[in-house]
């Protein structure tokens, strides 16, 4: 809710001062310039560039007592777009983004919410009440310029789908015939997937709500709402996806899993489909995996320096266990594939058991878990030992049986890679001991533990630099310790000043300020001193303390180093590594 809901402000500078975006000195500077030049307050703030565009528009929203909308984070209703022609949206710099059919309100984002003439024109044209909000001008222009056509394409197909939905038998007949490619529902699904590929999304969520269907995309690890479809097309869209994935369209009571392939603009995409019954209908999540995607190198992922050296030393040993840890979605599997790409030569036999197989690698024997058929991580691991392997990769250590088998495999001369769900590297030994692993066997087999998180990289096309604020400088010095001084000396020798990246946003990064992802790591080789701590069943904090004394950088430290190098932002590091 805007501050304006509780207070009426006299001017913009009062709001900016209240929010801490400018100080009293800047307020006086604005007033003085107004007296000298006769410019409006808004013109002065813009000319002096006292605040960012988004902060300015938010302050203006408070001043005018209207809602602010971020067009990059809210979903659009395709129905709303049909009500305002593209030429009108372009001319008046407006975007219709939502339609409340129940109350007959069309929500419109505008650059100037006080343009009563345009509002009156829209009311007469649409025969609806107009709900006005303010948005960034560059977001409105970008949407009308680049996305209006795409949104209108899905709009026309939604309209046709609704018409066909009135004839329930016709829709069911189409479903049984596997929904011809020309069918509007098929085109809706195609449009959704094409945008997913174009926007580099890793997942697509189709979520039924009470009055609509929300389409969200996970882009660079963050879910972004992009579409709001009419509730009436939900069943037809889900049926279309189920048919493509070879699932039962009449089974809506239990979760189902499937997969299918999709090709667009020369990209072959493997989609893993998961359905889930919810209160308002079936939710569908589609995971996208590009078949042509190359396995990144370890430096590409974000490993370098001592951390990279320690990991390379560990993977070049002939036997032992290397564990990659972190929560779901932290890039563990990608790191494992990058390691396998290094060690999988023609001279060794590499076998993996995964759930699911995400990348198909040449020269690697990959096995998919099939619990119903009795093929689990543990049973596959037993079979592997009779396959004369040199290197074994187990997708995840989930239970004590798998942990014992992995340790025994390492002790009998095999190099074993696996993952574990712990917060950091120091939590792995205690977790394995909790699973029943014998301490002396664990330290004899455990070579190295890697903790990681994935965060967004700043967009190089629009990022600018800013001086380090005192509070953030204190946080950097406190977290990095002696490392901060080393980095500062390096910058001085190069004749540079340490700065922080300032997030801006442009068309290339969809106005988010971020483009692409990178990982932050902590690599903990199991040394003789650490082995003694593990055998004595020391706590994770004691293990972490000793590992850092021996030279390990924590994930947060690695993240802050990347911040000072201009790769990511402090907000991103705190978002993923603050625990």
């Amino acid at each position: 809710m805007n501050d304006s809901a509780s207070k009426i402000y006299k001017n913009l500078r009062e709001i900016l001062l209240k929010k801490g975006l400018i100080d009293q000195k800047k307020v006086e500077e604005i007033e003085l310039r107004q007296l000298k030049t006769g410019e409006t307050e808004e013109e002065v703030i813009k000319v002096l560039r006292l605040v960012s565009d988004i902060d300015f528009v938010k302050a203006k929203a408070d001043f005018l007592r209207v809602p602010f909308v971020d067009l990059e984070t809210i979903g659009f209703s395709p129905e709303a777009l049909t009500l305002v022609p593209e030429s009108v949206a372009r001319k008046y710099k407006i975007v219709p983004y939502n339609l409340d059919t129940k109350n007959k309100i069309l929500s419109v984002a505008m650059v100037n919410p006080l343009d009563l003439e345009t509002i009156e024109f829209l009311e007469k044209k649409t025969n609806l009440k107009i709900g006005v909000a303010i948005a960034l001008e560059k977001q409105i222009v970008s949407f009308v310029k680049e996305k209006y056509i795409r949104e209108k394409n899905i709009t026309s197909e939604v309209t046709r789908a609704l018409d066909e939905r009135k004839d329930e038998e016709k829709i069911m007949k189409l479903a049984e015939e596997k929904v011809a490619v020309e069918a509007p529902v098929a085109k809706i699904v195609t449009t959704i997937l094409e945008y997913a590929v174009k926007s580099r999304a890793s997942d697509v969520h189709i979520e039924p709500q009470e009055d609509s269907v929300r389409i969200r995309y996970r882009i660079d690890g963050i879910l972004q709402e992009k579409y709001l479809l009419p509730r009436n097309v939900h069943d037809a869209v889900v049926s279309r996806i189920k048919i493509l994935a070879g699932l039962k369209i009449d089974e809506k009571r239990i979760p189902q899993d499937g997969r299918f392939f999709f090709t667009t603009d020369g990209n072959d995409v493997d989609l893993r489909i998961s359905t889930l019954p919810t209160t308002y209908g079936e939710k569908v999540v589609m995971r996208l995996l590009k078949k042509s995607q190359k396995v990144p190198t370890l430096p590409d992922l974000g490993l370098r320096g001592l951390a990279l050296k320690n990991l390379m030393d560990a993977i070049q040993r002939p036997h032992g266990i290397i564990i990659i840890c972190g929560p779901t979605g932290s890039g563990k599997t990608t790191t494992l594939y990058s390691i396998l790409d290094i060690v999988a030569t023609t001279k060794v036999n590499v076998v993996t058991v995964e759930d699911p197989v995400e990348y198909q690698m040449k020269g690697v024997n990959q096995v998919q878990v099939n619990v119903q058929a009795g093929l689990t991580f543990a049973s596959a691991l037993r079979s592997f030992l009779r396959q004369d392997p040199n290197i074994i990769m187990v997708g995840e250590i989930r239970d004590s049986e798998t942990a014992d088998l992995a340790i025994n495999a390492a002790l009998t001369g095999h190099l074993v890679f696996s993952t574990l769900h712990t917060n950091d590297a120091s939590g792995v030994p205690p977790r394995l001991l909790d699973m029943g692993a014998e301490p002396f066997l664990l330290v004899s087999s455990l070579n190295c533990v890697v903790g990681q998180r994935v965060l967004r990289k700043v967009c190089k096309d629009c990022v600018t630099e800013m001086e380090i604020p005192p509070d953030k400088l204190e946080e950097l010095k406190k977290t990095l310790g002696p490392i901060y001084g080393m980095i500062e000396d390096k910058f001085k020798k190069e004749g540079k000043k340490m700065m922080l990246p300032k997030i801006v946003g442009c068309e290339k990064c969809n106005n988010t300020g971020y483009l692409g992802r990178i990982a932050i790591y902590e690599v903990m080789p199991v040394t003789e001193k650490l082995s003694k701590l593990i055998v004595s069943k020391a706590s994770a904090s004691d293990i972490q303390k000793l590992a850092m004394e021996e030279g390990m950088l924590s994930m947060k430290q690695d993240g802050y180093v990347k911040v000072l190098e201009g790769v990511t932002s402090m907000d991103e590091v705190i978002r993923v590594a603050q625990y």
Side-chain angles (χ1 to χ4, degrees):
M1 183 182 289
N2 292 333
D3 290 344
S4 57
S6 58
K7 180 177 178 181
I8 299 176
Y9 291 95
K10 296 176 184 176
N11 47 50
L12 281 170
R13 55 186 179 272
E14 184 184 347
I15 298 172
L16 296 175
L17 181 65
K18 174 76 174 176
K19 289 176 175 285
L21 297 170
I22 61 173
D23 54 24
Q24 188 60 41
K25 188 178 177 182
K26 294 293 183 187
V27 170
E28 292 167 5
E29 188 178 346
I30 293 169
E31 292 170 347
L32 184 62
R33 177 155 180 145
Q34 276 187 276
L35 289 171
K36 283 183 177 179
T37 65
E39 294 171 315
T40 65
E41 180 187 44
E42 187 171 326
E43 288 170 340
V44 172
I45 294 168
K46 284 184 175 179
V47 168
L48 296 179
R49 291 187 167 274
L50 298 178
V51 293
S52 66
D53 290 346
I54 193 164
D55 284 335
F56 175 77
V57 175
K58 284 181 178 178
K60 192 174 177 181
D62 285 348
F63 180 53
L64 299 177
R65 298 174 67 82
V66 297
F68 164 79
V69 291
D70 185 346
L71 296 180
E72 299 301 335
T73 60
I74 64 168
F76 288 89
S77 167
E79 288 179 293
L81 286 176
T82 60
L83 300 171
V84 179
E86 183 182 355
S87 57
V88 174
R90 189 186 301 277
K91 181 179 179 181
Y92 296 105
K93 292 184 180 178
I94 59 173
V95 169
Y97 63 91
N98 193 32
L99 176 63
D100 183 347
T101 52
K102 186 177 179 182
N103 297 307
K104 294 188 176 181
I105 298 174
L106 176 66
S107 297
V108 177
M110 304 177 69
V111 173
N112 179 15
L114 296 183
D115 187 353
L116 301 178
E117 198 174 316
T118 300
I119 294 168
E120 187 179 352
F121 166 73
L122 290 172
E123 284 179 342
K124 286 180 180 178
K125 184 172 180 60
T126 61
N127 201 26
L128 296 166
K129 295 176 185 175
I130 302 299
V132 177
I134 191 170
L136 278 168
E137 182 175 356
K138 66 179 181 180
Q139 285 189 355
I140 291 176
V141 172
S142 174
F143 177 82
V144 175
K145 180 182 175 183
E146 293 187 4
K147 301 177 185 178
Y148 215 87
I149 293 173
R150 171 172 58 80
E151 301 289 346
K152 282 180 70 177
N153 283 342
I154 196 169
T155 299
S156 60
E157 301 309 331
V158 166
T159 304
R160 288 180 61 196
L162 285 171
D163 290 340
E164 291 198 0
R165 194 65 186 161
K166 292 172 184 175
D167 187 350
E168 201 69 37
E169 291 181 3
K170 186 175 180 182
I171 281 289
M172 287 309 294
K173 186 179 178 182
L174 280 172
E176 288 166 5
E177 292 173 359
K178 298 202 172 182
V179 190
V181 175
E182 293 76 22
V185 171
K187 289 186 179 178
I188 292 172
V189 174
T190 300
T191 303
I192 289 170
L193 292 177
E194 283 176 347
Y195 181 72
V197 175
K198 184 181 176 183
S199 62
R200 303 172 295 102
S202 60
D203 300 86
V204 181
H205 292 237
I206 300 175
E207 302 169 316
Q209 310 287 301
E210 186 175 4
D211 300 315
S212 60
V213 182
R214 182 169 66 172
I215 312 295
R216 294 196 291 173
Y217 296 84
R218 190 174 292 281
I219 302 170
D220 290 334
I222 305 293
L223 275 173
Q224 299 180 19
E225 187 177 308
K226 291 295 178 183
Y227 293 114
L228 283 174
L229 303 183
R231 185 71 177 82
N232 291 357
V233 301
H234 172 260
D235 290 347
V237 168
V238 172
S239 292
R240 170 65 180 165
I241 294 168
K242 281 183 167 184
I243 286 162
L244 291 170
L247 304 177
K248 297 177 182 177
I249 62 171
D250 58 340
E251 180 55 83
K252 301 179 181 182
R253 299 165 300 172
I254 59 173
Q256 296 187 69
D257 295 303
R259 66 192 306 164
F260 67 89
F261 295 98
F262 177 75
T263 302
T264 178
D265 295 332
N267 291 306
D268 291 330
V269 183
D270 182 13
L271 289 109
R272 294 208 318 268
I273 312 301
S274 173
T275 69
L276 181 73
T278 68
T279 308
Y280 295 115
E282 286 182 287
K283 176 184 174 180
V284 177
V285 175
M286 298 184 280
R287 166 67 57 88
L288 284 78
L289 299 167
K290 284 187 182 178
K291 296 193 75 179
S292 58
Q293 192 169 334
K294 292 182 180 179
V295 176
T297 65
L298 292 175
D300 286 342
L301 293 178
L303 269 164
R304 66 268 177 90
L306 183 62
L308 179 59
K309 181 183 180 298
N310 285 337
L311 181 57
M312 290 300 294
D313 288 346
I315 67 177
Q316 285 165 6
R317 293 184 191 177
H319 54 80
I321 300 178
I322 295 168
I323 301 284
I324 315 289
C325 67
T328 302
S330 60
K332 301 186 296 295
T333 305
T334 302
T335 301
L336 279 178
Y337 280 126
S338 297
I339 293 171
L340 286 181
D341 198 46
I342 297 170
V343 300
T345 66
T346 55
K347 296 179 181 180
V348 292
N349 177 25
V350 182
V351 288
T352 75
V353 55
E354 306 167 55
D355 184 22
V357 174
E358 293 193 11
Y359 297 94
Q360 293 179 348
M361 298 189 69
K362 290 182 180 179
V364 176
N365 304 288
Q366 295 171 274
V367 176
Q368 167 84 43
V369 165
N370 188 339
V371 178
Q372 291 180 336
L375 182 57
T376 62
F377 284 120
S379 63
L381 198 45
R382 278 196 210 91
S383 300
F384 284 174
L385 297 176
R386 297 191 291 274
Q387 287 284 316
D388 186 31
N390 299 98
I391 297 166
I392 297 170
M393 193 265 268
V394 183
E396 183 185 343
I397 295 176
R398 293 179 178 173
D399 51 45
S400 58
E401 186 181 9
T402 309
D404 288 340
L405 288 166
I407 290 169
N408 288 329
L411 291 171
T412 52
H414 304 90
L415 187 59
V416 181
F417 299 102
S418 192
T419 70
L420 201 62
H421 285 261
T422 60
N423 280 334
D424 51 26
S426 59
V428 168
R431 176 67 58 84
L432 291 171
L433 292 174
D434 287 343
M435 285 184 175
E438 291 292 342
F440 65 94
L441 294 179
L442 179 60
V443 296
S444 300
S445 59
L446 193 60
N447 288 351
C448 181
V449 181
V450 179
Q452 70 175 85
R453 296 288 190 281
V454 174
L455 41 71
R456 295 179 292 174
K457 294 195 291 185
V458 297
C459 174
K460 294 297 182 184
D461 280 29
C462 63
V463 68
T464 59
E465 291 185 328
M466 59 183 271
E467 290 192 9
I468 307 175
D471 58 330
K472 291 191 175 181
L473 182 63
E474 188 180 339
E475 165 70 8
L476 285 167
K477 287 181 176 178
K478 180 183 174 183
T479 303
L480 290 173
I483 303 166
Y484 181 85
M486 293 165 62
I487 297 171
E488 192 174 34
D489 290 341
K490 181 186 173 186
F491 272 84
K492 284 180 181 176
K493 285 178 183 177
E494 294 173 355
K496 297 177 183 177
K497 185 179 179 182
M498 279 202 300
M499 305 283 278
L500 289 184
K502 184 178 180 181
I503 305 305
V504 181
C506 63
E507 290 182 5
K508 190 170 182 182
C509 64
N510 211 11
N511 287 312
T512 61
Y514 297 95
L515 188 66
R517 292 196 286 175
I518 196 166
I520 53 175
Y521 289 92
E522 56 184 29
V523 178
M524 186 179 80
V526 180
T527 61
E528 188 177 342
K529 286 184 179 178
L530 273 173
S531 295
K532 290 177 181 177
L533 268 187
I534 295 167
V535 169
S536 66
K537 296 187 177 182
S539 67
S541 57
D542 289 339
I543 293 172
Q544 173 94 352
K545 185 180 177 183
L546 178 59
M548 292 181 71
E549 286 173 3
E550 293 185 339
M552 182 187 84
L553 284 186
S554 70
M555 281 182 282
K556 197 172 182 182
Q557 287 177 325
D558 186 34
Y560 280 168
V561 170
K562 288 181 169 79
V563 168
L564 293 173
E565 291 174 349
V567 177
T568 187
S569 68
M570 283 186 73
D571 288 342
E572 275 295 287
V573 176
I574 291 168
R575 179 177 69 84
V576 303
Q578 188 83 17
Y579 52 84

